[in-house]
Coordinates of all heavy atoms in Angstrom, one line a residue:
M934 N -28.7 -0.2 20.7 CA -28.6 -1.4 19.8 C -27.1 -1.6 19.5 O -26.4 -0.7 19.3 CB -29.4 -1.0 18.5 CG -29.6 -2.2 17.7 SD -30.7 -1.7 16.4 CE -31.3 -3.3 15.9
R935 N -26.8 -2.8 19.6 CA -25.4 -3.2 19.4 C -25.0 -3.3 17.9 O -25.8 -3.7 17.1 CB -25.2 -4.6 20.0 CG -24.2 -4.6 21.1 CD -24.0 -6.0 21.6 NE -22.8 -6.6 21.0 CZ -22.2 -7.5 21.6 NH1 -22.6 -8.0 22.7 NH2 -21.1 -8.0 21.0
D936 N -23.8 -2.9 17.7 CA -23.3 -3.0 16.3 C -22.9 -4.4 15.9 O -22.3 -5.1 16.7 CB -22.1 -2.1 16.1 CG -21.7 -1.9 14.6 OD1 -22.4 -2.2 13.7 OD2 -20.5 -1.5 14.5
N937 N -23.3 -4.9 14.8 CA -23.0 -6.3 14.4 C -21.6 -6.5 13.8 O -21.2 -7.6 13.6 CB -24.0 -6.8 13.3 CG -25.4 -6.9 14.0 OD1 -25.5 -7.1 15.2 ND2 -26.4 -6.8 13.2
T938 N -20.9 -5.4 13.5 CA -19.5 -5.5 12.9 C -18.5 -5.8 14.0 O -18.4 -5.1 15.0 CB -19.2 -4.2 12.2 OG1 -20.2 -3.9 11.2 CG2 -17.9 -4.4 11.4
R939 N -17.7 -6.8 13.8 CA -16.6 -7.1 14.7 C -15.4 -6.2 14.4 O -15.2 -6.0 13.3 CB -16.2 -8.6 14.7 CG -17.3 -9.5 15.3 CD -16.7 -10.9 15.3 NE -17.5 -11.7 14.3 CZ -17.0 -12.7 13.7 NH1 -15.8 -13.2 14.0 NH2 -17.8 -13.4 12.9
T940 N -14.7 -5.8 15.4 CA -13.6 -4.9 15.2 C -12.4 -5.7 14.5 O -11.6 -5.1 13.8 CB -13.1 -4.4 16.5 OG1 -12.7 -5.4 17.4 CG2 -14.1 -3.5 17.1
N941 N -12.4 -7.0 14.6 CA -11.2 -7.7 14.0 C -11.6 -8.4 12.6 O -10.9 -9.2 12.1 CB -10.7 -8.8 15.0 CG -11.7 -9.8 15.3 OD1 -12.8 -9.7 15.0 ND2 -11.3 -10.8 16.1
S942 N -12.8 -8.1 12.1 CA -13.2 -8.7 10.9 C -12.5 -8.0 9.7 O -12.3 -6.8 9.7 CB -14.7 -8.5 10.7 OG -15.1 -7.2 10.6
A943 N -12.1 -8.8 8.7 CA -11.3 -8.3 7.6 C -12.3 -7.9 6.5 O -13.1 -8.7 6.0 CB -10.3 -9.3 7.1
A944 N -12.2 -6.7 6.0 CA -13.0 -6.3 4.8 C -12.2 -6.8 3.6 O -11.1 -7.2 3.6 CB -13.1 -4.7 4.8
P945 N -13.0 -6.7 2.4 CA -12.4 -7.3 1.2 C -11.1 -6.7 0.8 O -10.3 -7.3 0.1 CB -13.5 -7.1 0.2 CG -14.7 -7.0 0.9 CD -14.4 -6.4 2.3
G946 N -10.8 -5.4 1.0 CA -9.6 -4.8 0.5 C -8.5 -4.6 1.6 O -7.5 -4.0 1.2
D947 N -8.7 -5.1 2.7 CA -7.7 -4.9 3.8 C -6.4 -5.5 3.5 O -5.4 -4.9 3.8 CB -8.3 -5.5 5.1 CG -9.4 -4.6 5.7 OD1 -9.6 -3.5 5.2 OD2 -10.0 -5.1 6.7
R948 N -6.3 -6.7 3.0 CA -5.0 -7.3 2.7 C -4.3 -6.5 1.6 O -3.0 -6.4 1.7 CB -5.3 -8.8 2.3 CG -3.9 -9.5 2.1 CD -4.1 -10.9 1.9 NE -4.6 -11.5 3.2 CZ -5.2 -12.7 3.3 NH1 -5.5 -13.3 2.2 NH2 -5.6 -13.1 4.5
L949 N -4.9 -6.0 0.6 CA -4.3 -5.3 -0.4 C -3.7 -3.9 0.2 O -2.6 -3.5 -0.2 CB -5.3 -4.8 -1.6 CG -5.4 -5.9 -2.7 CD1 -6.5 -5.5 -3.7 CD2 -4.0 -6.0 -3.5
V950 N -4.4 -3.3 1.1 CA -3.9 -2.1 1.7 C -2.7 -2.3 2.5 O -1.8 -1.6 2.5 CB -5.1 -1.4 2.5 CG1 -4.6 -0.2 3.3 CG2 -6.2 -0.9 1.6
R951 N -2.8 -3.4 3.3 CA -1.6 -3.7 4.1 C -0.4 -4.1 3.3 O 0.8 -3.6 3.6 CB -1.9 -4.9 5.1 CG -2.8 -4.5 6.2 CD -3.0 -5.7 7.1 NE -4.1 -5.4 8.1 CZ -5.1 -6.2 8.4 NH1 -5.1 -7.4 7.8 NH2 -6.0 -5.8 9.2
T952 N -0.6 -4.9 2.3 CA 0.5 -5.2 1.3 C 1.1 -4.0 0.7 O 2.3 -3.8 0.5 CB 0.0 -6.3 0.3 OG1 -0.5 -7.4 0.9 CG2 1.2 -6.7 -0.6
G953 N 0.2 -3.1 0.2 CA 0.6 -1.9 -0.4 C 1.4 -1.0 0.5 O 2.4 -0.4 0.1
A954 N 1.0 -1.0 1.8 CA 1.8 -0.2 2.7 C 3.2 -0.7 2.9 O 4.2 0.1 3.0 CB 1.1 -0.1 4.1
V955 N 3.3 -2.0 3.1 CA 4.6 -2.6 3.2 C 5.5 -2.4 2.0 O 6.7 -2.0 2.1 CB 4.5 -4.2 3.5 CG1 5.9 -4.9 3.5 CG2 3.8 -4.4 4.9
V956 N 4.9 -2.6 0.8 CA 5.7 -2.4 -0.4 C 6.1 -0.9 -0.5 O 7.2 -0.6 -1.0 CB 4.9 -2.9 -1.6 CG1 5.5 -2.4 -3.0 CG2 4.7 -4.3 -1.6
F957 N 5.2 0.0 -0.1 CA 5.5 1.4 -0.2 C 6.7 1.8 0.7 O 7.6 2.5 0.3 CB 4.3 2.2 0.2 CG 4.6 3.7 0.2 CD1 4.4 4.4 -1.0 CD2 4.9 4.4 1.3 CE1 4.6 5.8 -1.0 CE2 5.1 5.7 1.3 CZ 5.0 6.5 0.1
F958 N 6.7 1.2 1.9 CA 7.8 1.6 2.9 C 9.1 0.9 2.4 O 10.2 1.6 2.7 CB 7.4 1.2 4.3 CG 6.5 2.1 4.9 CD1 5.2 1.7 5.3 CD2 6.7 3.4 5.0 CE1 4.3 2.5 5.8 CE2 5.8 4.3 5.6 CZ 4.6 3.8 6.0
V959 N 9.1 -0.2 1.8 CA 10.3 -0.8 1.3 C 10.8 0.1 0.2 O 12.1 0.3 0.1 CB 10.0 -2.2 0.7 CG1 11.2 -2.8 -0.1 CG2 9.8 -3.2 1.9
G960 N 9.9 0.6 -0.7 CA 10.3 1.5 -1.7 C 10.9 2.8 -1.2 O 11.8 3.4 -1.8
A961 N 10.3 3.3 -0.1 CA 10.7 4.5 0.5 C 12.1 4.4 1.1 O 13.0 5.3 0.8 CB 9.8 5.0 1.6
V962 N 12.4 3.2 1.7 CA 13.8 3.0 2.2 C 14.8 2.8 1.0 O 15.9 3.4 1.0 CB 13.8 1.7 3.0 CG1 15.2 1.3 3.4 CG2 13.0 1.9 4.3
A963 N 14.4 2.2 -0.1 CA 15.2 2.0 -1.3 C 15.5 3.4 -1.9 O 16.6 3.7 -2.3 CB 14.6 1.1 -2.3
T964 N 14.5 4.3 -1.9 CA 14.7 5.6 -2.4 C 15.7 6.4 -1.5 O 16.6 7.1 -2.1 CB 13.4 6.4 -2.4 OG1 12.5 5.7 -3.3 CG2 13.5 7.8 -2.9
L965 N 15.6 6.3 -0.2 CA 16.5 7.0 0.7 C 17.9 6.5 0.5 O 18.9 7.2 0.5 CB 16.1 6.8 2.2 CG 14.9 7.6 2.5 CD1 14.5 7.3 4.0 CD2 15.1 9.1 2.4
V966 N 18.0 5.2 0.4 CA 19.4 4.5 0.1 C 20.0 5.0 -1.2 O 21.2 5.2 -1.3 CB 19.3 3.0 0.3 CG1 20.5 2.3 -0.1 CG2 19.0 2.6 1.7
T967 N 19.1 5.1 -2.2 CA 19.6 5.5 -3.5 C 20.0 6.9 -3.6 O 21.0 7.2 -4.3 CB 18.5 5.2 -4.5 OG1 18.1 3.8 -4.4 CG2 18.9 5.4 -5.9
V968 N 19.3 7.8 -3.0 CA 19.5 9.2 -3.0 C 20.7 9.6 -2.1 O 21.4 10.6 -2.4 CB 18.2 10.0 -2.7 CG1 18.5 11.5 -2.6 CG2 17.2 9.7 -3.8
A969 N 20.9 9.0 -1.0 CA 21.9 9.4 -0.1 C 23.3 9.5 -0.7 O 24.0 10.5 -0.5 CB 22.0 8.4 1.1
P970 N 23.8 8.5 -1.5 CA 25.1 8.7 -2.1 C 25.2 9.9 -3.1 O 26.3 10.5 -3.2 CB 25.4 7.4 -2.9 CG 24.5 6.4 -2.3 CD 23.3 7.2 -1.8
L971 N 24.1 10.2 -3.7 CA 24.1 11.4 -4.6 C 24.2 12.7 -3.9 O 24.9 13.6 -4.3 CB 22.8 11.4 -5.4 CG 22.6 10.2 -6.3 CD1 21.2 10.3 -7.0 CD2 23.7 10.1 -7.4
L972 N 23.6 12.8 -2.6 CA 23.7 14.0 -1.8 C 25.0 14.0 -1.1 O 25.5 15.2 -0.7 CB 22.6 14.0 -0.9 CG 21.2 14.1 -1.4 CD1 20.1 13.9 -0.3 CD2 21.0 15.4 -2.2
L973 N 25.6 12.9 -0.8 CA 26.9 12.8 0.0 C 28.1 13.0 -0.9 O 29.2 13.0 -0.4 CB 27.0 11.6 0.8 CG 25.9 11.5 1.9 CD1 26.0 10.1 2.6 CD2 26.0 12.6 2.9
G974 N 27.9 12.8 -2.2 CA 29.0 13.0 -3.2 C 29.8 11.7 -3.3 O 31.0 11.7 -3.8
T975 N 29.3 10.5 -2.9 CA 30.0 9.3 -3.1 C 29.6 8.6 -4.3 O 28.8 9.2 -5.1 CB 29.8 8.4 -1.8 OG1 28.4 8.1 -1.8 CG2 30.2 9.0 -0.6
T976 N 30.1 7.4 -4.6 CA 29.8 6.7 -5.8 C 28.3 6.2 -5.7 O 27.8 5.7 -4.8 CB 30.6 5.4 -5.9 OG1 32.0 5.8 -5.8 CG2 30.4 4.7 -7.2
P977 N 27.5 6.5 -6.8 CA 26.1 6.1 -6.8 C 25.9 4.6 -6.9 O 26.8 3.9 -7.3 CB 25.5 6.9 -8.0 CG 26.7 7.3 -8.8 CD 27.9 7.3 -7.9
F978 N 24.8 4.2 -6.5 CA 24.5 2.8 -6.5 C 24.2 2.4 -8.0 O 23.9 3.2 -8.8 CB 23.2 2.5 -5.7 CG 23.6 2.4 -4.2 CD1 23.2 3.5 -3.3 CD2 24.2 1.3 -3.7 CE1 23.5 3.4 -2.0 CE2 24.5 1.3 -2.3 CZ 24.1 2.3 -1.5
P979 N 24.1 1.1 -8.3 CA 23.8 0.6 -9.6 C 22.4 1.0 -10.0 O 21.6 1.4 -9.2 CB 24.0 -0.9 -9.6 CG 24.7 -1.2 -8.3 CD 24.6 0.0 -7.4
T980 N 22.1 0.8 -11.3 CA 20.9 1.3 -11.8 C 19.7 0.5 -11.3 O 18.6 1.1 -11.1 CB 20.9 1.1 -13.4 OG1 22.0 1.8 -13.9 CG2 19.7 1.7 -14.0
Y981 N 19.9 -0.8 -10.9 CA 18.7 -1.5 -10.4 C 18.2 -0.9 -9.1 O 17.0 -1.1 -8.7 CB 19.1 -3.0 -10.2 CG 20.1 -3.3 -9.1 CD1 19.6 -3.5 -7.8 CD2 21.4 -3.4 -9.4 CE1 20.5 -3.8 -6.8 CE2 22.3 -3.7 -8.3 CZ 21.8 -3.9 -7.0 OH 22.7 -4.1 -6.1
M982 N 19.0 -0.2 -8.4 CA 18.5 0.4 -7.1 C 17.5 1.5 -7.4 O 16.5 1.7 -6.7 CB 19.7 1.0 -6.4 CG 20.6 0.0 -5.6 SD 19.6 -0.9 -4.4 CE 19.4 0.3 -3.1
F983 N 17.7 2.2 -8.6 CA 16.6 3.2 -9.0 C 15.3 2.5 -9.3 O 14.2 3.0 -9.1 CB 17.1 4.0 -10.1 CG 18.3 4.9 -9.8 CD1 19.6 4.5 -10.1 CD2 18.1 6.1 -9.1 CE1 20.6 5.4 -9.7 CE2 19.1 7.0 -8.8 CZ 20.4 6.6 -9.1
G984 N 15.5 1.3 -9.9 CA 14.2 0.4 -10.1 C 13.5 0.0 -8.8 O 12.3 0.0 -8.8
L985 N 14.3 -0.3 -7.8 CA 13.7 -0.6 -6.5 C 12.9 0.6 -5.9 O 12.0 0.4 -5.2 CB 14.7 -1.1 -5.5 CG 15.3 -2.5 -5.8 CD1 16.3 -2.8 -4.7 CD2 14.2 -3.5 -5.6
S986 N 13.4 1.8 -6.2 CA 12.7 3.0 -5.8 C 11.3 3.1 -6.4 O 10.4 3.7 -5.7 CB 13.4 4.2 -6.2 OG 14.8 4.2 -5.6
M987 N 11.0 2.5 -7.5 CA 9.7 2.4 -8.0 C 8.7 1.6 -7.3 O 7.5 1.6 -7.5 CB 9.7 1.9 -9.5 CG 10.6 2.8 -10.4 SD 10.2 4.5 -10.3 CE 8.7 4.6 -11.2
L988 N 9.2 0.9 -6.3 CA 8.3 0.1 -5.4 C 7.3 1.1 -4.6 O 6.3 0.7 -4.2 CB 9.1 -0.7 -4.4 CG 9.7 -2.0 -5.1 CD1 10.5 -2.7 -3.9 CD2 8.7 -2.9 -5.6
M989 N 7.8 2.3 -4.5 CA 6.8 3.3 -3.7 C 5.6 3.4 -4.6 O 4.5 3.4 -4.0 CB 7.6 4.6 -3.6 CG 8.5 4.7 -2.5 SD 9.4 6.3 -2.3 CE 8.0 7.4 -2.0
A990 N 5.8 3.6 -5.8 CA 4.6 3.7 -6.7 C 3.7 2.5 -6.8 O 2.5 2.5 -6.8 CB 5.0 4.2 -8.2
V991 N 4.4 1.3 -6.8 CA 3.7 0.1 -6.9 C 2.9 -0.1 -5.6 O 1.7 -0.5 -5.6 CB 4.6 -1.1 -7.1 CG1 4.0 -2.4 -6.9 CG2 5.3 -1.0 -8.4
G992 N 3.5 0.2 -4.4 CA 2.8 0.1 -3.1 C 1.7 1.0 -3.1 O 0.5 0.7 -2.5
F993 N 1.8 2.2 -3.6 CA 0.7 3.2 -3.6 C -0.5 2.7 -4.4 O -1.6 2.8 -4.0 CB 1.2 4.5 -4.1 CG 0.2 5.7 -4.0 CD1 0.0 6.3 -2.8 CD2 -0.5 6.1 -5.1 CE1 -1.0 7.3 -2.7 CE2 -1.4 7.1 -5.0 CZ -1.6 7.7 -3.8
L994 N -0.2 2.1 -5.6 CA -1.3 1.6 -6.4 C -2.0 0.4 -5.8 O -3.2 0.2 -5.9 CB -0.7 1.2 -7.8 CG -0.3 2.3 -8.7 CD1 0.5 1.8 -9.9 CD2 -1.4 3.2 -9.1
L995 N -1.2 -0.5 -5.1 CA -1.8 -1.6 -4.4 C -2.7 -1.2 -3.3 O -3.8 -1.7 -3.2 CB -0.7 -2.5 -3.8 CG 0.0 -3.5 -4.8 CD1 1.2 -4.2 -4.1 CD2 -1.0 -4.6 -5.3
A996 N -2.3 -0.2 -2.5 CA -3.1 0.3 -1.5 C -4.3 1.0 -2.1 O -5.5 0.9 -1.5 CB -2.4 1.4 -0.6
G997 N -4.2 1.7 -3.1 CA -5.3 2.3 -3.7 C -6.3 1.4 -4.3 O -7.6 1.5 -4.1
A998 N -5.8 0.2 -4.9 CA -6.7 -0.8 -5.3 C -7.5 -1.4 -4.2 O -8.7 -1.8 -4.3 CB -5.9 -1.8 -6.1
G999 N -6.8 -1.6 -3.0 CA -7.5 -2.1 -1.8 C -8.6 -1.2 -1.3 O -9.7 -1.7 -0.9
V1000 N -8.4 0.0 -1.4 CA -9.3 1.0 -0.9 C -10.5 0.9 -1.8 O -11.7 1.0 -1.4 CB -8.8 2.4 -0.8 CG1 -9.9 3.5 -0.6 CG2 -7.8 2.5 0.3
L1001 N -10.3 0.9 -3.1 CA -11.4 0.9 -4.1 C -12.2 -0.4 -4.0 O -13.4 -0.4 -4.1 CB -10.9 1.0 -5.5 CG -10.3 2.4 -5.9 CD1 -9.7 2.4 -7.3 CD2 -11.3 3.5 -5.8
R1002 N -11.5 -1.5 -3.7 CA -12.2 -2.8 -3.5 C -13.1 -2.8 -2.3 O -14.2 -3.3 -2.2 CB -11.2 -3.9 -3.4 CG -11.7 -5.3 -3.4 CD -10.7 -6.3 -3.5 NE -11.4 -7.6 -3.4 CZ -10.7 -8.8 -3.3 NH1 -9.4 -8.7 -3.2 NH2 -11.3 -9.9 -3.1
S1003 N -12.6 -2.1 -1.2 CA -13.3 -2.0 0.0 C -14.6 -1.1 -0.2 O -15.6 -1.4 0.3 CB -12.4 -1.4 1.1 OG -13.2 -1.3 2.3
V1004 N -14.4 -0.1 -1.0 CA -15.5 0.8 -1.2 C -16.6 0.1 -2.0 O -17.8 0.2 -1.8 CB -15.0 2.1 -2.0 CG1 -16.2 2.9 -2.5 CG2 -14.2 3.0 -1.0
A1005 N -16.1 -0.6 -3.0 CA -17.1 -1.4 -3.9 C -17.9 -2.4 -3.0 O -19.0 -2.6 -3.2 CB -16.3 -2.1 -5.0
A1006 N -17.1 -3.1 -2.1 CA -17.8 -4.1 -1.3 C -18.8 -3.4 -0.3 O -19.9 -3.9 -0.1 CB -16.8 -4.8 -0.5
G1007 N -18.5 -2.2 0.2 CA -19.4 -1.5 1.0 C -20.6 -1.1 0.3 O -21.8 -1.1 0.8
R1008 N -20.5 -0.6 -1.0 CA -21.6 -0.3 -1.8 C -22.5 -1.5 -2.1 O -23.8 -1.4 -2.0 CB -21.2 0.3 -3.1 CG -20.7 1.7 -3.0 CD -20.4 2.2 -4.4 NE -20.1 3.7 -4.3 CZ -19.8 4.4 -5.3 NH1 -19.7 3.9 -6.6 NH2 -19.5 5.7 -5.2
R1009 N -21.9 -2.6 -2.4 CA -22.7 -3.8 -2.6 C -23.5 -4.2 -1.4 O -24.6 -4.6 -1.4 CB -21.8 -5.0 -3.1 CG -21.4 -4.9 -4.5 CD -20.8 -6.3 -5.0 NE -19.6 -6.6 -4.2 CZ -18.3 -6.2 -4.5 NH1 -18.1 -5.5 -5.6 NH2 -17.3 -6.6 -3.8
Q1010 N -22.8 -4.1 -0.3 CA -23.5 -4.5 1.0 C -24.6 -3.5 1.3 O -25.7 -3.8 1.8 CB -22.5 -4.4 2.1 CG -23.0 -4.9 3.5 CD -21.9 -4.9 4.5 OE1 -20.9 -4.2 4.4 NE2 -22.1 -5.8 5.6
A1011 N -24.4 -2.2 1.0 CA -25.5 -1.2 1.2 C -26.7 -1.4 0.4 O -27.8 -1.3 0.7 CB -24.9 0.2 1.1
R1012 N -26.4 -1.8 -0.9 CA -27.5 -2.1 -1.9 C -28.3 -3.3 -1.4 O -29.5 -3.4 -1.6 CB -27.0 -2.2 -3.3 CG -26.5 -0.9 -3.9 CD -26.1 -1.1 -5.3 NE -25.6 0.1 -5.8 CZ -24.7 0.2 -6.8 NH1 -24.3 -0.9 -7.4 NH2 -24.3 1.4 -7.2
A1013 N -27.6 -4.3 -0.9 CA -28.2 -5.5 -0.6 C -29.1 -5.3 0.8 O -30.0 -6.0 1.0 CB -27.2 -6.6 -0.3
G1014 N -28.7 -4.3 1.5 CA -29.4 -4.1 2.8 C -30.7 -3.3 2.6 O -31.5 -3.2 3.6
R1015 N -30.9 -2.7 1.5 CA -32.2 -2.0 1.4 C -33.4 -2.7 1.3 O -33.7 -3.7 1.0 CB -32.1 -1.2 0.0 CG -31.3 0.0 0.1 CD -31.5 1.0 -1.1 NE -30.3 1.4 -1.7 CZ -30.3 2.2 -2.7 NH1 -31.4 2.5 -3.3 NH2 -29.1 2.6 -3.2

């Protein structure tokens, strides 16, 4: 029997997970850029760069929300299928 799910179909939380991953990686790069001068003994970056490092946490939360949304949609679909 053939599966009815298309491989390119977007689930309800997919966009949040992708956005969260991009924001997380931007935050990871900002963290590396912020920490590098501290390890190299050069002049540290301004304080706002430390704020950009918090994008890692924001991206993680966005991706987590996308996963939870996808799980909730899967549960609703499973309940409707009974």
Side-chain angles (χ1 to χ4, degrees):
M934 193 170 201
R935 241 179 99 155
D936 188 19
N937 292 333
T938 305
R939 286 188 250 152
T940 57
N941 60 355
S942 63
D947 286 352
R948 185 171 288 156
L949 271 175
V950 172
R951 288 185 189 132
T952 304
V955 169
V956 171
F957 180 85
F958 285 120
V959 169
V962 170
T964 300
L965 290 174
V966 168
T967 304
V968 172
L971 299 174
L972 297 175
L973 297 174
T975 60
T976 306
F978 284 105
T980 307
Y981 70 88
M982 286 298 290
F983 292 99
L985 284 177
S986 297
M987 298 309 286
L988 287 177
M989 282 178 62
V991 172
F993 187 76
L994 289 174
L995 281 172
V1000 169
L1001 291 176
R1002 186 172 177 189
S1003 178
V1004 167
R1008 283 185 172 180
R1009 281 192 299 272
Q1010 187 178 20
R1012 285 184 187 155
R1015 280 198 228 178

